[in-house]
Amino acid sequence: MFYKILYTYITLLFINYLGFVYIYFNGKLKSNIVRTIWIYLLLVLLTEITSLVMSRNGVNNLFLSHAFFIFQTLILANLFIKHFLNRIQIKVARIYLGFSLTFIFIQYIIFPSLLFEFNLFEIFLMNFFLIVCSLFYFYNTLGSERRYKFLIFGILFYNILSTSVFLLANIATQINIDIANSIWLLNLFLLITYQLLIIRQWFSLKMINVNGKRKI
Amino acid sequence: MENEKFEIIFPIALTFFAFLLILIAVLLFMFYSRKKIIARELEIKNLKLEIQNKVIKAMIETQEAERTRIARDLHDSFGAKLSAVKNHLENLKGIDNNADNESIYKVAIETCNTLYDNARRISHNMTPIEIEVIGLFNTIQQLCKDFDNDSSGIKIFLKSEFAKSKINDLKKEIQIHLYRILQELLVNSKKHSEASKIFIEFEVNRNEQLQFSYSDNGKGSSKSFQEIQSGLGIQNIILRSGIIGGTFELNTEEGKGFEFHLILPLYE
């Protein structure tokens, strides 16, 4: 059942990737934001497929998750910094990103075994960054049009919930409660919800015509 | 054993700290969002008020322009022609030897005089053309004199401490508004106050601001400021005070008369 849900998730991811590539290359919304979104979706898709293949072949794919977390954060950070944050917020974001990435790299240098383990510090640091950036977006767009609200809400929703799930799962593991399967299943449902929000975002962007105005 | 305890407590503590950070981020977001919304609402409110004031100012200025036009037409055209008619009648009276017609000429000339005075009074009430000729202060003196003559029993005391030249140097629009405010105050005192004395004072304070004070010794009012400002006359006064950039204070109590103070900058 887990793999059926996983395939559903990957299918949704692929549909979203195609959808955003379509509206980008169709010329109607050839913006840097849409380009960043489909590049991000491509990264996620490739990571998920590689991870699935490795998992099916019994290979430890945890080190891939580290690369994924970091690159996902860097791509979305680029999206936020270039398009959604003001000057002070950009400074805060850059400083935070600089410190947290440095911390993570030092951690891996000192404890290389962490590359093949679940690193909650990394998860929390990267996800917290995206949570704060999403909140910045909603703050900045108060009273004005929120063209990317579904995508950003999806980022906020997924990162808050998945961080909470992983942190609680870690505690459960420490007190010898085996909820590993439930956690991954729950994470998959969160990811599917996230992809559904991205689909909703796609429909919302499709309603915008060439002049940047919403079609009635 | 200690190690095991630490391995359980440490993740719990970290988890708690992580949740706390997320909660703080969300609470800060809610706090600053609320602040931004309130600031935005205030900005919109102020903008609406500004637009409203501009519209009212434009309406009053149009009204004044129209009044000036009508007053000039009354004075220059109608008044002049009436004067001419009166002159013709007097000339006719001089050359007509018929004694029976004397009374007719007399009535006609008196009617012309009455019409001329009425036209002059209407024109004067519509707009104080004299401001341009004799200055605001002298026009105010004339207004007070006319009021003295019309409103039996009310004595006006006008005082200006070195402010006469400053009053005359004000911009024309401000002078007209100040004149209208005083007109409105006098009408209010006449209609409602049952006063016997009115005190009007102009002075220049240390901050180079013109202080205009008006008070009467009438019966006053126990109404609240909101009730008083619902009257059209007072609304007019408040609007005009705002247009000329003045700050006003209005005081009245039952049995203690009525006071109005206006401070406006002499220089922009």
Side-chain angles (χ1 to χ4, degrees), chain A residues 60-75:
Chain A
N60 187 329
N61 58 13
L62 273 173
F63 76 90
L64 193 64
S65 73
H66 302 305
F68 166 72
F69 269 116
I70 290 170
F71 282 113
Q72 173 193 243
T73 306
L74 288 174
I75 290 175

Side-chain angles (χ1 to χ4, degrees), chain B residues 11 16 27 35 38 49 64 125 142 170 175 177 201 216 225 266:
Chain B
F16 172 75
L27 286 174
K35 222 173 140 183
I38 291 170
L49 210 65
E64 290 293 339
N125 280 342
Q142 188 61 46
L170 289 167
Q175 289 188 27
H177 286 301
E201 190 176 339
D216 67 35
F225 179 69
L266 283 171

Side-chain angles (χ1 to χ4, degrees), chain A residues 120-121 124 128 131-132 134-136 138-144 146 159-160 163-165 167-168 170-171 174-175, chain B residues 7-8 10-19 21-23 25-29 31-37 40:
Chain A
L120 273 176
F121 272 114
F124 175 74
F128 185 70
I131 291 167
V132 172
S134 305
L135 290 174
F136 279 158
F138 284 112
Y139 173 78
N140 292 343
T141 52
L142 269 170
S144 57
R146 285 174 173 162
N159 283 292
I160 287 181
T163 308
S164 312
V165 161
L167 287 169
L168 290 170
N170 185 48
I171 295 174
Q174 297 299 328
I175 52 178
Chain B
E7 276 177 15
I8 294 170
F10 185 66
I12 294 173
L14 274 183
T15 305
F16 172 75
F17 181 68
F19 276 122
L21 274 179
I22 294 173
L23 183 66
V26 171
L27 286 174
L28 281 173
F29 163 74
F31 173 75
Y32 282 106
S33 295
R34 183 91 191 106
K35 222 173 140 183
K36 191 176 179 184
I37 289 168
R40 200 178 173 84

Side-chain angles (χ1 to χ4, degrees), chain B residues 1-266:
Chain B
M1 188 70 177
E2 287 288 323
N3 262 348
E4 277 174 22
K5 263 193 187 172
F6 178 78
E7 276 177 15
I8 294 170
I9 293 170
F10 185 66
I12 294 173
L14 274 183
T15 305
F16 172 75
F17 181 68
F19 276 122
L20 190 65
L21 274 179
I22 294 173
L23 183 66
I24 289 170
V26 171
L27 286 174
L28 281 173
F29 163 74
M30 286 167 67
F31 173 75
Y32 282 106
S33 295
R34 183 91 191 106
K35 222 173 140 183
K36 191 176 179 184
I37 289 168
I38 291 170
R40 200 178 173 84
E41 281 170 5
L42 199 67
E43 201 186 317
I44 290 169
K45 206 173 159 184
N46 286 340
L47 201 66
K48 278 186 181 166
L49 210 65
E50 203 185 308
I51 291 169
Q52 204 178 37
N53 284 344
K54 278 189 179 164
V55 167
I56 290 167
K57 189 180 171 186
M59 273 169 59
I60 289 178
E61 281 169 3
T62 307
Q63 197 184 54
E64 290 293 339
E66 197 56 23
R67 275 175 153 182
T68 306
R69 188 188 65 77
I70 294 170
R72 279 194 196 282
D73 284 347
L74 260 177
H75 186 269
D76 298 345
S77 180
F78 180 74
K81 290 202 164 30
L82 208 45
S83 242
V85 166
K86 185 186 148 185
N87 288 339
H88 285 313
L89 284 168
E90 279 173 348
N91 288 339
L92 268 173
K93 186 184 162 192
I95 59 175
D96 191 344
N97 296 320
N98 191 343
D100 293 334
N101 291 338
E102 175 112 11
S103 60
I104 298 171
Y105 283 121
K106 194 177 169 189
V107 168
I109 289 166
E110 272 172 19
T111 307
C112 282
N113 283 337
T114 309
L115 276 173
Y116 183 83
D117 287 341
N118 283 347
R120 188 181 163 278
R121 187 173 47 77
I122 292 168
S123 162
H124 184 85
N125 280 342
M126 289 208 88
T127 201
I129 303 171
E130 293 87 345
I131 287 179
E132 288 171 30
V133 179
I134 59 174
L136 175 62
F137 189 77
N138 290 340
T139 310
I140 287 174
Q141 274 183 321
Q142 188 61 46
L143 173 68
C144 294
K145 207 171 156 186
D146 291 342
F147 190 84
D148 265 346
N149 295 336
D150 288 344
S151 317
S152 53
I154 304 182
K155 186 88 183 111
I156 298 183
F157 298 89
L158 176 62
K159 189 179 164 192
S160 75
E161 290 281 339
F162 313 109
K164 188 175 168 182
S165 61
K166 299 284 185 186
I167 294 166
N168 290 338
D169 287 341
L170 289 167
K171 277 187 184 176
K172 191 190 158 201
E173 307 89 67
I174 297 178
Q175 289 188 27
I176 289 175
H177 286 301
L178 207 46
Y179 182 83
R180 291 273 179 245
I181 288 170
L182 181 57
Q183 252 185 334
E184 204 64 62
L185 288 165
L186 288 170
V187 163
N188 266 352
S189 290
K190 184 179 173 182
K191 273 190 196 167
H192 306 295
S193 73
E194 295 173 16
S196 59
K197 289 177 187 166
I198 292 175
F199 300 92
I200 301 169
E201 190 176 339
F202 290 96
E203 61 177 338
V204 179
N205 65 18
R206 263 185 280 175
N207 299 327
E208 284 291 308
Q209 291 168 319
L210 181 69
Q211 276 180 212
F212 164 60
S213 302
Y214 178 99
S215 59
D216 67 35
N217 67 345
K219 63 181 183 183
S221 173
S222 57
K223 287 183 187 173
S224 66
F225 179 69
Q226 278 75 24
E227 284 172 305
I228 291 169
Q229 81 169 341
S230 62
L232 282 173
I234 297 290
Q235 271 183 31
N236 206 347
I237 289 169
I238 293 170
L239 272 168
R240 289 180 187 273
S241 303
I243 288 171
I244 58 177
T247 46
F248 72 91
E249 195 187 316
L250 201 151
N251 297 313
T252 183
E253 260 183 71
E254 191 145 358
K256 291 188 179 175
F258 175 89
E259 277 179 29
F260 177 82
H261 303 280
L262 177 67
I263 296 176
L264 59 121
L266 283 171

Side-chain angles (χ1 to χ4, degrees), chain A residues 180-193:
Chain A
N181 290 337
S182 313
I183 292 300
W184 289 117
L185 206 54
L186 186 55
N187 186 49
L188 260 183
F189 279 114
L190 293 175
L191 285 167
I192 287 171
T193 311

Side-chain angles (χ1 to χ4, degrees), chain A residues 10-202:
Chain A
I10 292 174
T11 310
L12 280 174
L13 192 46
F14 184 61
I15 291 168
N16 274 335
Y17 163 70
L18 287 178
F20 277 89
V21 162
Y22 168 75
I23 59 171
Y24 179 76
F25 286 105
N26 206 25
K28 283 191 178 176
L29 271 174
K30 203 162 185 147
S31 71
N32 287 335
I33 297 174
V34 175
R35 189 182 63 194
T36 308
I37 294 171
W38 71 250
I39 289 172
Y40 162 68
L41 289 169
L42 180 62
L43 167 77
V44 177
L45 183 64
L46 291 174
T47 310
E48 288 297 338
I49 292 171
T50 311
S51 183
L52 175 65
V53 167
M54 289 173 78
S55 163
R56 284 291 209 181
N57 291 318
V59 179
N60 187 329
N61 58 13
L62 273 173
F63 76 90
L64 193 64
S65 73
H66 302 305
F68 166 72
F69 269 116
I70 290 170
F71 282 113
Q72 173 193 243
T73 306
L74 288 174
I75 290 175
L76 291 176
N78 179 57
L79 178 71
F80 280 110
I81 286 170
K82 281 212 170 131
H83 304 286
F84 299 140
L85 304 186
N86 63 33
R87 271 188 18 212
I88 297 171
Q89 291 164 351
I90 288 171
K91 271 188 191 158
V92 167
R94 284 187 171 144
I95 291 168
Y96 177 90
L97 215 50
F99 275 113
S100 48
L101 286 172
T102 308
F103 174 82
I104 291 165
F105 287 137
I106 290 171
Q107 205 183 25
Y108 286 135
I109 289 167
I110 298 172
F111 303 105
S113 61
L114 271 177
L115 281 166
F116 299 97
E117 289 171 19
F118 215 57
N119 186 353
L120 273 176
F121 272 114
E122 176 190 66
I123 292 171
F124 175 74
L125 286 174
M126 298 294 102
N127 285 355
F128 185 70
F129 172 80
L130 294 175
I131 291 167
V132 172
C133 284
S134 305
L135 290 174
F136 279 158
Y137 170 83
F138 284 112
Y139 173 78
N140 292 343
T141 52
L142 269 170
S144 57
E145 192 202 358
R146 285 174 173 162
R147 196 174 271 193
Y148 298 96
K149 63 179 179 248
F150 296 107
L151 171 69
I152 308 300
F153 179 70
I155 293 172
L156 181 68
F157 163 84
Y158 174 69
N159 283 292
I160 287 181
L161 290 180
S162 67
T163 308
S164 312
V165 161
F166 290 135
L167 287 169
L168 290 170
N170 185 48
I171 295 174
T173 312
Q174 297 299 328
I175 52 178
N176 295 323
I177 298 173
D178 184 14
I179 54 169
N181 290 337
S182 313
I183 292 300
W184 289 117
L185 206 54
L186 186 55
N187 186 49
L188 260 183
F189 279 114
L190 293 175
L191 285 167
I192 287 171
T193 311
Y194 179 28
Q195 292 304 315
L196 289 173
L197 284 165
I198 294 178
I199 288 176
R200 181 63 185 89
Q201 180 65 68
W202 183 84

